[in-house]
């Protein structure tokens, strides 16, 4: 079988580089172009030396890609740039997997409030499918534009969706923690080693853009509007994300019920694993893999429980889920290119 | 003025070493003995090379200390060992500052449940003062045995006590994070660099021993029993602790009210700082200092707020607060030996 | 084709776990047993949680393995234990890839001096092949026991062997640096996070056991005995190794000559890459891969040059080279199971 | 006694912040102004949150400082900017301690070659004293402009100067390693956490600007020109520097002779410590202190020895030595403001 011609839009960001890594190990895809307009003309190894010696194409402007000869594009651009570029390149037969935030919120007004700019491609938005892989397979299969969820929403939603009927959805407290790669590759002193190593801090308290995305998905699932508490933190590590979710149990519900609901929901999933009782998931144990692990614990307060999920923010939280979504679109084995064992230590 | 003869019991642990560091910069104290029974006879630099070239005494067994000639002891021993040793050495005129858990819980039965051993020194327990410095000055001044609070309780209590009347005390969710030094110096693969670097995880979910201590203090303050949610995490950093506390506001109370209450309570404190609106405290910004910083934020959920506190777990969370307590006992300026500027980066 | 039944001896160490990771991605091998006598009976995930959810066999004692039904064994045991165990299990048809130091030094007396114990299996030693893959293919193909080189020797030898005739072999200065995983998984406070993070130090100065191994190989290549200067350092990182080698150039030789010699030697190699002029190799750019990268630079002193090599100590420096050696023994494509793209960031 | 009015020029860099930290603990100095032209008008805590709550002055432009009322200035500016600014502000009675490279090289042509710009203040250069504290006290005492050595030169020179007559000065190989703070606070992706954590690399191989500075000082000491080999590396740590120096011993000289020479030279020094035989210095054991530690070891090659020195690059390698130099100028106890115990862990 011929491999599908695959383009990475925005290959100079971390999610772009992770998409490249995963696609290089995917039997049905080949990288036909890597774009990065600021770096067009450079070898990819100039931007990402770990990619040297692999025969990868040089970086080009997206305008110089042969889009008619392209089968698949992973858009790894910042929001705004993403929808603008996708609007230019989308055409029949091209599958677009978007890793930006541009098509995650169905409500264009909410998008405008959240991202500080009007949405400019309402038709594309209408057709986009929110690609939380384990929950949207039927829609993803039909999609030509898949909006991959944010990393925090991925971590939070897979933990909450199976138990939503068992808890007080108006009292969900999500305390989330991310590695520094989640901030992207930025010329900003705030992400220098001395400013992020050997310490930790919350950020975007009450205001982080992934809050509305989590709300929107949970509200849709519930059929009514809820607002979660959500506090993200930046931790001194390259990769990894934890969501520690404190929930209030409905009357008569026990933590064991939450666990049972999660197991029932995920028992046939390739990437989602419910940890045995007492086992706490660590981010380092899913590093560089597409795994998602959940632990469920009794809280000290007997009316509450603690759900802890971990992912690699760049893999299941971004480029890995993107590849998984493409596998779904193409009706391939969902694990194609994604069966990497976690890298530890 | 002659300096007080000061002994560190258990100088081979991290809190012991931090006590040594602080006392070396304290004008009214001199280190007359450092004990570490397993290492007796060795130079202190053998155990802690950063302490070389300082003229410190060699390590001895606690039995070999001249206790009658001692004015102050900082007990930096594990629980159990601490009360046993303090029972042997305590005598009139000796001020004992205990950094272990042995005298933190006034209820001996709760202690037994929590620490898995019966309390053996009820008389000492009865006389011990819980040394949350900013809240117990009057009692500390009279004390001959001060029980220094745990690191997580310190981080949590200073943030919660000023606002307890403004929030639903039955719905306090504390998500806490600590650097690895909090685990102590242990021959345990679990704390090796490859097992703790570049990743994060929760631990002791629902069961950590500092939970009952937090409950006890808040319940006393409230006059009724409450149970907090409390989930600690281990982060890849040497020092530092965050408590991210999600609280439900009482009717008509706003986050600004919480801030005002904190400012009112702490405006004259040397070590406790309420951050200006919008400023998120980082652990690295209090590193190696005795500072405590609090930020207060509106939650996404308008009925809730987020209180974030940071300390250095070894300083304000342990040995720094211990020195502060001694300063209170002795009626000295509370900042003696504790005015270090944070070390950044 | 049926997969070869593969056993990991000593699967509870870091090199054992890395071997498991690599073999799980190798199309011609299947893991039939994992041994760890101290942990026999436990799930492998109990020891290495990142390996959970993969259907791996539980840990067993090596005595309980069906050795007659085994095709390949990777011995990831400490020295001493390795030769003792291999002596018990070796039999016709079993390929033994040893990652320990036991068969690296052909001179049993030198082994005894270096490792502080007599060599007990001289016959095995006589038959063992030193498996520096790129230099010993002919011998490895015939071998039933391959002694994989140490990590420092691998890093050093591949950089030096092509240029040995161009430099003063009596004045080779190797300054080497390793990540903490190189120390193995040990219950030792010296490798705790707080003792190894945020700082660096040399160790084994003048005495490290890999010195004689480097000497032995270079001396064999030269046909006369030489002694290299070799100073290893421990760096705060999980994986990665650099050898910074300062050499004195022979008369009329230039750094460009060294580069040309390296390129000539390695142009057809899959894993060894000579960086373009001016490009400095980073350990993070080969992380979790079997790559070896070399940079060659003019020194400030015009009579000298600097050769810098990087590897992942657990992969090309240990388990990756071990798999490469098995591929050679079996006459397979040398990159089988080893074509992973480096994981960055 | 009144405290001397002290200004930090360039307080927004890491060496500026370290100077602020040290001066806040110095009994004879008070910070009268902090300059940072790009940030003029902001609170210092806006730029360095760890400095909040200390009553420090806001940042101003250097043009707005009352220079006539200033006693001491620490110039923490980039090279070029430093000499230009110092030229504007220098006046009788003002002591200038310069931390930049502008006055380190007495040879203006060498400066131009090395720094890529012509030196513009030859008169200042002629009067400047190279402030390697332990070697230049007599001159420093007379100086109104002290040029503080670079971090690598400090690490290298104190280790080499006492032994220069005992070794082959034409074969000195310095392999040096620095923490990331040494690069300064820069908006550059190269110093982001993901690009510098969990890996290591050499940089400036053969070309680093501190090479000529080391040469110049050693050549002056020897009375003839030499060129050292010098390869710096960037390590994943905030602070700390190692110089691992491989030297060829003169005939009949032993490593013990080097040690004896170092001990003889430094026995009365407050900050320089020669480690006992067999003790390897770690950067983490001098962290945040002004200590300098040296270890001397036999090399594997009996004609050679290894000298290892460690400092905190921001303290003894920069701002600490700067304060030490001011203490010398003012004829104060050299340890004033510098007696901090290292911070470990």
């Amino acid at each position: 079988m011929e491999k599908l011609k695959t383009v990475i839009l925005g290959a100079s960001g971390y999610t772009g580089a992770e998409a490249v890594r995963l696609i290089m190990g995917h039997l049905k895809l080949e990288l036909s172009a890597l774009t990065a307009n600021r770096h067009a003309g450079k070898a990819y190894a100039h931007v990402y030396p770990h990619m040297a010696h692999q025969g990868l194409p040089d970086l080009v402007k997206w305008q110089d890609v042969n889009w008619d000869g392209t089968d698949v594009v992973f858009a790894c651009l910042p929001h705004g740039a993403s929808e603008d570029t996708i609007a230019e390149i989308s055409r029949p037969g091209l599958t677009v997997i978007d890793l930006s935030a541009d098509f995650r919120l169905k409500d264009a007004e909410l998008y405008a409030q959240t991202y500080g700019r009007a949405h400019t491609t309402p038709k594309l938005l209408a057709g986009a499918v929110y690609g939380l892989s384990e929950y949207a397979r039927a829609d993803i299969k039909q999609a030509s534009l898949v909006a991959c969820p944010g990393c925090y929403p991925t971590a939070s939603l897979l933990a909450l969706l199976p138990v939503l009927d068992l808890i007080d959805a108006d009292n969900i407290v999500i305390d989330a923690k991310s590695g520094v790669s989640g901030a992207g590759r930025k010329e900003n002193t705030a992400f220098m080693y001395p400013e992020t190593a050997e310490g930790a801090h919350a950020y975007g308290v009450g205001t982080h853009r992934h809050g509305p995305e989590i709300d929107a998905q949970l509200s849709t699932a519930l059929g009514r509007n809820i607002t979660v508490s959500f506090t993200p933190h930046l931790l001194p590590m390259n990769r990894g994300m934890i969501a520690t979710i404190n929930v209030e149990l409905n009357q008569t519900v026990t933590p064991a019920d939450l666990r049972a609901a999660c197991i029932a929901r995920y028992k046939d999933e390739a990437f989602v694993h419910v940890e045995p009782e007492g086992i706490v998931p660590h981010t380092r144990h899913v590093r560089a893999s597409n795994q998602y692990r959940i632990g469920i614990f009794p809280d000290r307060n007997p009316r509450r429980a603690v759900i802890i999920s971990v992912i690699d923010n760049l893999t299941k939280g971004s480029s890995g889920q993107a590849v998984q979504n493409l596998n779904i679109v193409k009706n391939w084995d969902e694990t194609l290119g994604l069966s990497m064992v976690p890298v530890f230590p």
Side-chain angles (χ1 to χ4, degrees), chain A:
Chain A
M1 190 191 113
E2 221 168 310
K3 294 180 173 187
L4 297 191
K5 303 253 182 282
T6 305
V7 175
I8 310 296
L9 269 180
S12 61
Y14 290 139
T15 59
E18 181 74 348
V20 170
R21 179 176 83 93
L22 297 174
I23 290 164
M24 288 172 75
H26 194 295
L27 298 171
K28 303 205 175 186
L29 300 176
E30 74 179 325
L31 289 163
S32 51
L34 306 176
T35 87
N37 282 31
R38 268 177 62 199
H39 296 285
K42 294 182 191 163
Y44 194 43
H46 182 89
V47 174
Y48 280 117
H50 71 294
M51 290 297 186
H53 317 299
Q54 304 272 10
L56 288 168
D58 286 351
L59 290 163
V60 294
K61 295 191 180 182
W62 68 261
Q63 294 90 340
D64 294 337
V65 170
N66 171 12
W67 290 108
D68 286 327
T70 300
D71 300 301
V72 177
V73 59
F74 288 87
C76 303
L77 295 167
H79 67 88
S82 196
E83 63 165 330
D84 292 349
T85 311
I86 291 171
E88 300 279 345
I89 64 171
S90 60
R91 64 201 64 203
L94 178 67
T95 301
V96 180
I97 309 289
D98 184 32
L99 286 77
S100 87
D102 281 346
F103 303 102
R104 291 175 189 161
L105 297 174
K106 277 294 171 194
D107 177 343
E109 218 163 299
L110 179 60
Y111 175 87
Q113 279 165 35
T114 307
Y115 289 92
R117 64 183 289 281
H119 205 284
T120 58
T121 58
K123 268 193 208 158
L124 286 173
L125 181 57
V129 170
Y130 186 78
L132 189 68
S133 311
E134 283 77 9
Y135 284 85
R137 286 188 179 103
D139 289 341
I140 294 170
K141 272 188 213 302
Q142 314 300 326
S144 57
L145 170 55
V146 180
C148 295
C151 48
Y152 287 120
T154 299
S156 303
L157 293 170
L158 290 180
L160 284 165
L161 286 170
V163 302
L164 220 42
D165 294 339
L166 304 174
I167 62 173
D168 178 358
D170 292 308
N171 272 303
I172 295 171
V173 177
I174 304 170
D175 190 286
K177 299 97 180 167
S178 174
V180 185
S181 65
R185 209 184 210 190
K186 296 220 180 82
E187 287 173 4
N188 186 328
T189 56
F191 302 110
M192 286 184 70
Y193 182 92
E195 312 285 328
T196 51
E198 279 294 305
H201 60 280
Y203 67 101
V205 186
T207 63
H208 193 283
R209 288 161 165 174
H210 285 179
E213 184 181 339
I214 299 170
D215 282 354
Q217 294 299 318
L218 294 181
S219 297
T220 299
L222 275 168
R224 67 181 180 85
N225 285 340
I226 63 163
T227 302
V228 298
S229 297
F230 168 60
T231 308
H233 298 73
L234 194 71
L235 304 194
M237 57 192 194
N238 284 309
R239 291 164 172 258
M241 174 166 284
I242 310 185
T244 307
I245 309 176
N246 197 289
V247 296
E248 194 166 334
L249 299 167
N250 287 346
Q251 287 282 97
T252 79
V253 169
T254 67
D257 296 331
L258 302 192
R259 168 183 303 279
C262 286
I263 290 173
R265 178 62 187 78
Y266 294 126
K267 65 181 189 306
D268 299 326
E269 291 295 342
F271 299 116
V272 184
H273 303 290
V274 182
E275 297 285 13
E277 221 179 306
I279 298 296
V280 181
H282 293 211
T283 64
R284 56 183 73 76
H285 296 151
V286 300
R287 189 159 49 210
S289 86
N290 202 49
Q291 288 188 23
Y292 183 103
R293 298 190 182 184
I294 316 176
I296 295 126
F297 302 86
D299 187 67
R300 303 185 68 248
N301 179 330
R303 297 165 30 238
R304 291 180 167 276
V306 183
I307 311 174
I308 300 175
S309 67
V310 301
I311 54 173
D312 184 317
N313 58 300
L314 287 181
T315 320
K316 183 63 174 169
S318 185
S319 308
Q321 183 162 235
V323 170
Q324 188 181 353
N325 284 336
L326 179 70
N327 288 343
I328 295 171
V329 170
K330 296 296 177 190
N331 233 338
W332 297 331
D333 178 338
E334 219 166 283
T335 66
L336 262 186
L338 296 173
S339 50
M340 313 82 64
V341 181
V343 174
F344 174 87

mmCIF file of all heavy atoms in Angstrom, chain A residues 98-101 104 129-133 146-155 157 210 213 217 313 316-319 321-322 325:
data_model
loop_
_atom_site.group_PDB
_atom_site.id
_atom_site.type_symbol
_atom_site.label_atom_id
_atom_site.label_comp_id
_atom_site.label_asym_id
_atom_site.label_seq_id
_atom_site.Cartn_x
_atom_site.Cartn_y
_atom_site.Cartn_z
ATOM 1 N N ASP A 98 -6.445 19.200 13.285
ATOM 2 C CA ASP A 98 -5.999 20.470 13.849
ATOM 3 C C ASP A 98 -5.673 20.315 15.329
ATOM 4 O O ASP A 98 -6.504 19.864 16.114
ATOM 5 C CB ASP A 98 -7.088 21.538 13.658
ATOM 6 C CG ASP A 98 -6.604 22.903 14.146
ATOM 7 O OD1 ASP A 98 -5.388 23.176 14.046
ATOM 8 O OD2 ASP A 98 -7.446 23.693 14.618
ATOM 9 N N LEU A 99 -4.478 20.704 15.701
ATOM 10 C CA LEU A 99 -4.067 20.620 17.104
ATOM 11 C C LEU A 99 -4.237 21.946 17.831
ATOM 12 O O LEU A 99 -3.982 22.029 19.031
ATOM 13 C CB LEU A 99 -2.617 20.156 17.214
ATOM 14 C CG LEU A 99 -2.365 18.665 16.929
ATOM 15 C CD1 LEU A 99 -2.396 18.368 15.439
ATOM 16 C CD2 LEU A 99 -1.069 18.189 17.522
ATOM 17 N N SER A 100 -4.661 22.974 17.128
ATOM 18 C CA SER A 100 -4.841 24.282 17.778
ATOM 19 C C SER A 100 -6.190 24.340 18.485
ATOM 20 O O SER A 100 -6.972 23.388 18.469
ATOM 21 C CB SER A 100 -4.780 25.395 16.728
ATOM 22 O OG SER A 100 -6.068 25.617 16.162
ATOM 23 N N ALA A 101 -6.459 25.497 19.064
ATOM 24 C CA ALA A 101 -7.718 25.681 19.786
ATOM 25 C C ALA A 101 -8.852 26.167 18.879
ATOM 26 O O ALA A 101 -9.981 26.314 19.330
ATOM 27 C CB ALA A 101 -7.510 26.702 20.903
ATOM 28 N N ARG A 104 -12.149 23.971 18.668
ATOM 29 C CA ARG A 104 -12.544 23.186 19.848
ATOM 30 C C ARG A 104 -13.852 23.666 20.457
ATOM 31 O O ARG A 104 -14.564 22.882 21.074
ATOM 32 C CB ARG A 104 -11.446 23.271 20.915
ATOM 33 C CG ARG A 104 -10.167 22.566 20.538
ATOM 34 C CD ARG A 104 -9.112 22.808 21.613
ATOM 35 N NE ARG A 104 -7.804 22.317 21.192
ATOM 36 C CZ ARG A 104 -6.661 22.702 21.739
ATOM 37 N NH1 ARG A 104 -6.661 23.579 22.740
ATOM 38 N NH2 ARG A 104 -5.524 22.216 21.306
ATOM 39 N N VAL A 129 -15.148 18.310 13.976
ATOM 40 C CA VAL A 129 -15.522 17.346 15.024
ATOM 41 C C VAL A 129 -14.536 17.474 16.174
ATOM 42 O O VAL A 129 -13.315 17.494 15.949
ATOM 43 C CB VAL A 129 -15.484 15.909 14.462
ATOM 44 C CG1 VAL A 129 -15.626 14.886 15.576
ATOM 45 C CG2 VAL A 129 -16.572 15.730 13.419
ATOM 46 N N TYR A 130 -15.042 17.561 17.393
ATOM 47 C CA TYR A 130 -14.183 17.614 18.581
ATOM 48 C C TYR A 130 -13.630 16.214 18.823
ATOM 49 O O TYR A 130 -14.371 15.290 19.175
ATOM 50 C CB TYR A 130 -14.988 18.104 19.780
ATOM 51 C CG TYR A 130 -14.156 18.337 21.023
ATOM 52 C CD1 TYR A 130 -13.378 19.480 21.158
ATOM 53 C CD2 TYR A 130 -14.157 17.424 22.073
ATOM 54 C CE1 TYR A 130 -12.612 19.705 22.300
ATOM 55 C CE2 TYR A 130 -13.401 17.640 23.223
ATOM 56 C CZ TYR A 130 -12.624 18.786 23.329
ATOM 57 O OH TYR A 130 -11.871 19.006 24.455
ATOM 58 N N GLY A 131 -12.332 16.081 18.651
ATOM 59 C CA GLY A 131 -11.749 14.742 18.575
ATOM 60 C C GLY A 131 -11.253 14.163 19.872
ATOM 61 O O GLY A 131 -10.082 13.780 19.963
ATOM 62 N N LEU A 132 -12.124 14.067 20.850
ATOM 63 C CA LEU A 132 -11.741 13.302 22.045
ATOM 64 C C LEU A 132 -11.921 11.837 21.644
ATOM 65 O O LEU A 132 -13.027 11.292 21.664
ATOM 66 C CB LEU A 132 -12.647 13.685 23.218
ATOM 67 C CG LEU A 132 -12.228 13.133 24.581
ATOM 68 C CD1 LEU A 132 -10.924 13.783 25.066
ATOM 69 C CD2 LEU A 132 -13.330 13.354 25.612
ATOM 70 N N SER A 133 -10.827 11.206 21.268
ATOM 71 C CA SER A 133 -10.892 9.969 20.483
ATOM 72 C C SER A 133 -11.864 8.947 21.048
ATOM 73 O O SER A 133 -12.715 8.410 20.318
ATOM 74 C CB SER A 133 -9.501 9.317 20.397
ATOM 75 O OG SER A 133 -8.524 10.250 20.028
ATOM 76 N N VAL A 146 -10.770 17.547 12.072
ATOM 77 C CA VAL A 146 -10.870 17.115 13.466
ATOM 78 C C VAL A 146 -10.156 18.132 14.347
ATOM 79 O O VAL A 146 -8.994 18.461 14.098
ATOM 80 C CB VAL A 146 -10.240 15.719 13.677
ATOM 81 C CG1 VAL A 146 -10.348 15.293 15.132
ATOM 82 C CG2 VAL A 146 -10.886 14.692 12.768
ATOM 83 N N ALA A 147 -10.871 18.632 15.349
ATOM 84 C CA ALA A 147 -10.278 19.552 16.321
ATOM 85 C C ALA A 147 -9.803 18.741 17.512
ATOM 86 O O ALA A 147 -10.622 18.244 18.296
ATOM 87 C CB ALA A 147 -11.324 20.575 16.761
ATOM 88 N N CYS A 148 -8.517 18.618 17.656
ATOM 89 C CA CYS A 148 -8.007 17.821 18.774
ATOM 90 C C CYS A 148 -8.150 18.615 20.069
ATOM 91 O O CYS A 148 -7.826 19.804 20.115
ATOM 92 C CB CYS A 148 -6.558 17.448 18.532
ATOM 93 S SG CYS A 148 -6.378 16.357 17.125
ATOM 94 N N PRO A 149 -8.584 17.948 21.116
ATOM 95 C CA PRO A 149 -8.789 18.628 22.408
ATOM 96 C C PRO A 149 -7.484 19.179 22.965
ATOM 97 O O PRO A 149 -6.393 18.689 22.653
ATOM 98 C CB PRO A 149 -9.320 17.514 23.316
ATOM 99 C CG PRO A 149 -9.891 16.499 22.393
ATOM 100 C CD PRO A 149 -9.033 16.554 21.157
ATOM 101 N N GLY A 150 -7.587 20.171 23.813
ATOM 102 C CA GLY A 150 -6.440 20.653 24.559
ATOM 103 C C GLY A 150 -5.922 19.585 25.504
ATOM 104 O O GLY A 150 -6.600 18.596 25.792
ATOM 105 N N CYS A 151 -4.704 19.793 25.988
ATOM 106 C CA CYS A 151 -4.090 18.801 26.869
ATOM 107 C C CYS A 151 -4.843 18.702 28.191
ATOM 108 O O CYS A 151 -5.171 17.602 28.647
ATOM 109 C CB CYS A 151 -2.619 19.118 27.086
ATOM 110 S SG CYS A 151 -2.272 20.837 27.513
ATOM 111 N N TYR A 152 -5.140 19.847 28.816
ATOM 112 C CA TYR A 152 -5.877 19.801 30.083
ATOM 113 C C TYR A 152 -7.273 19.209 29.892
ATOM 114 O O TYR A 152 -7.708 18.389 30.716
ATOM 115 C CB TYR A 152 -5.978 21.194 30.700
ATOM 116 C CG TYR A 152 -4.689 21.733 31.291
ATOM 117 C CD1 TYR A 152 -4.123 22.904 30.813
ATOM 118 C CD2 TYR A 152 -4.058 21.087 32.349
ATOM 119 C CE1 TYR A 152 -2.955 23.426 31.365
ATOM 120 C CE2 TYR A 152 -2.887 21.596 32.906
ATOM 121 C CZ TYR A 152 -2.342 22.762 32.409
ATOM 122 O OH TYR A 152 -1.190 23.268 32.968
ATOM 123 N N PRO A 153 -8.015 19.606 28.854
ATOM 124 C CA PRO A 153 -9.310 18.969 28.648
ATOM 125 C C PRO A 153 -9.197 17.456 28.434
ATOM 126 O O PRO A 153 -9.992 16.688 28.981
ATOM 127 C CB PRO A 153 -9.847 19.687 27.394
ATOM 128 C CG PRO A 153 -9.251 21.065 27.494
ATOM 129 C CD PRO A 153 -7.865 20.823 28.024
ATOM 130 N N THR A 154 -8.189 17.011 27.681
ATOM 131 C CA THR A 154 -8.030 15.564 27.513
ATOM 132 C C THR A 154 -7.840 14.899 28.868
ATOM 133 O O THR A 154 -8.505 13.904 29.194
ATOM 134 C CB THR A 154 -6.825 15.271 26.598
ATOM 135 O OG1 THR A 154 -7.066 15.855 25.323
ATOM 136 C CG2 THR A 154 -6.598 13.776 26.437
ATOM 137 N N ALA A 155 -6.916 15.445 29.656
ATOM 138 C CA ALA A 155 -6.646 14.848 30.969
ATOM 139 C C ALA A 155 -7.896 14.845 31.839
ATOM 140 O O ALA A 155 -8.180 13.876 32.550
ATOM 141 C CB ALA A 155 -5.520 15.608 31.659
ATOM 142 N N LEU A 157 -11.300 15.338 30.889
ATOM 143 C CA LEU A 157 -12.561 14.787 30.390
ATOM 144 C C LEU A 157 -12.590 13.260 30.470
ATOM 145 O O LEU A 157 -13.603 12.670 30.874
ATOM 146 C CB LEU A 157 -12.801 15.242 28.950
ATOM 147 C CG LEU A 157 -13.055 16.752 28.796
ATOM 148 C CD1 LEU A 157 -13.041 17.140 27.312
ATOM 149 C CD2 LEU A 157 -14.383 17.152 29.434
ATOM 150 N N HIS A 210 -8.398 26.735 28.802
ATOM 151 C CA HIS A 210 -8.935 25.373 28.708
ATOM 152 C C HIS A 210 -10.145 25.164 29.614
ATOM 153 O O HIS A 210 -10.837 24.155 29.483
ATOM 154 C CB HIS A 210 -7.833 24.354 29.028
ATOM 155 C CG HIS A 210 -6.835 24.192 27.913
ATOM 156 N ND1 HIS A 210 -5.760 23.340 27.990
ATOM 157 C CD2 HIS A 210 -6.746 24.772 26.679
ATOM 158 C CE1 HIS A 210 -5.055 23.406 26.868
ATOM 159 N NE2 HIS A 210 -5.625 24.264 26.068
ATOM 160 N N GLU A 213 -13.361 25.141 27.614
ATOM 161 C CA GLU A 213 -13.417 23.923 26.794
ATOM 162 C C GLU A 213 -13.887 22.727 27.630
ATOM 163 O O GLU A 213 -14.704 21.924 27.167
ATOM 164 C CB GLU A 213 -12.028 23.671 26.194
ATOM 165 C CG GLU A 213 -11.973 22.479 25.245
ATOM 166 C CD GLU A 213 -10.566 22.254 24.681
ATOM 167 O OE1 GLU A 213 -9.749 23.204 24.691
ATOM 168 O OE2 GLU A 213 -10.287 21.124 24.246
ATOM 169 N N GLN A 217 -17.642 20.684 27.092
ATOM 170 C CA GLN A 217 -17.798 19.247 26.860
ATOM 171 C C GLN A 217 -18.618 18.580 27.965
ATOM 172 O O GLN A 217 -19.473 17.748 27.695
ATOM 173 C CB GLN A 217 -16.421 18.575 26.738
ATOM 174 C CG GLN A 217 -15.633 19.021 25.518
ATOM 175 C CD GLN A 217 -16.347 18.696 24.207
ATOM 176 O OE1 GLN A 217 -16.910 17.607 24.041
ATOM 177 N NE2 GLN A 217 -16.383 19.651 23.282
ATOM 178 N N ASN A 313 1.696 15.280 27.972
ATOM 179 C CA ASN A 313 0.960 16.385 27.356
ATOM 180 C C ASN A 313 1.221 16.497 25.859
ATOM 181 O O ASN A 313 0.354 16.943 25.108
ATOM 182 C CB ASN A 313 1.302 17.710 28.045
ATOM 183 C CG ASN A 313 2.777 18.028 28.003
ATOM 184 O OD1 ASN A 313 3.585 17.252 28.512
ATOM 185 N ND2 ASN A 313 3.144 19.127 27.385
ATOM 186 N N LYS A 316 -0.527 11.852 24.214
ATOM 187 C CA LYS A 316 -1.981 11.747 24.357
ATOM 188 C C LYS A 316 -2.612 13.131 24.502
ATOM 189 O O LYS A 316 -3.736 13.359 24.063
ATOM 190 C CB LYS A 316 -2.327 10.863 25.563
ATOM 191 C CG LYS A 316 -3.814 10.625 25.774
ATOM 192 C CD LYS A 316 -4.466 9.883 24.608
ATOM 193 C CE LYS A 316 -5.911 9.527 24.914
ATOM 194 N NZ LYS A 316 -6.635 9.047 23.706
ATOM 195 N N GLY A 317 -1.884 14.065 25.083
ATOM 196 C CA GLY A 317 -2.428 15.412 25.249
ATOM 197 C C GLY A 317 -2.366 16.259 23.998
ATOM 198 O O GLY A 317 -2.901 17.371 23.982
ATOM 199 N N SER A 318 -1.754 15.748 22.943
ATOM 200 C CA SER A 318 -1.675 16.562 21.728
ATOM 201 C C SER A 318 -1.423 15.698 20.483
ATOM 202 O O SER A 318 -2.348 15.196 19.869
ATOM 203 C CB SER A 318 -0.607 17.643 21.904
ATOM 204 O OG SER A 318 -0.588 18.496 20.798
ATOM 205 N N SER A 319 -0.167 15.519 20.113
ATOM 206 C CA SER A 319 0.118 14.911 18.809
ATOM 207 C C SER A 319 -0.236 13.431 18.750
ATOM 208 O O SER A 319 -0.551 12.911 17.677
ATOM 209 C CB SER A 319 1.600 15.109 18.481
ATOM 210 O OG SER A 319 1.936 16.478 18.612
ATOM 211 N N GLN A 321 -2.809 11.940 20.369
ATOM 212 C CA GLN A 321 -4.252 11.881 20.146
ATOM 213 C C GLN A 321 -4.594 12.302 18.715
ATOM 214 O O GLN A 321 -5.521 11.786 18.089
ATOM 215 C CB GLN A 321 -4.993 12.771 21.146
ATOM 216 C CG GLN A 321 -6.494 12.694 21.022
ATOM 217 C CD GLN A 321 -7.225 13.226 22.255
ATOM 218 O OE1 GLN A 321 -8.042 12.525 22.839
ATOM 219 N NE2 GLN A 321 -6.938 14.434 22.658
ATOM 220 N N ALA A 322 -3.810 13.212 18.154
ATOM 221 C CA ALA A 322 -4.027 13.637 16.769
ATOM 222 C C ALA A 322 -3.830 12.459 15.808
ATOM 223 O O ALA A 322 -4.642 12.241 14.896
ATOM 224 C CB ALA A 322 -3.075 14.785 16.428
ATOM 225 N N ASN A 325 -6.613 10.084 16.148
ATOM 226 C CA ASN A 325 -7.796 10.554 15.425
ATOM 227 C C ASN A 325 -7.684 10.283 13.926
ATOM 228 O O ASN A 325 -8.655 9.892 13.281
ATOM 229 C CB ASN A 325 -8.017 12.047 15.694
ATOM 230 C CG ASN A 325 -8.615 12.273 17.069
ATOM 231 O OD1 ASN A 325 -9.268 11.379 17.635
ATOM 232 N ND2 ASN A 325 -8.402 13.459 17.629
#
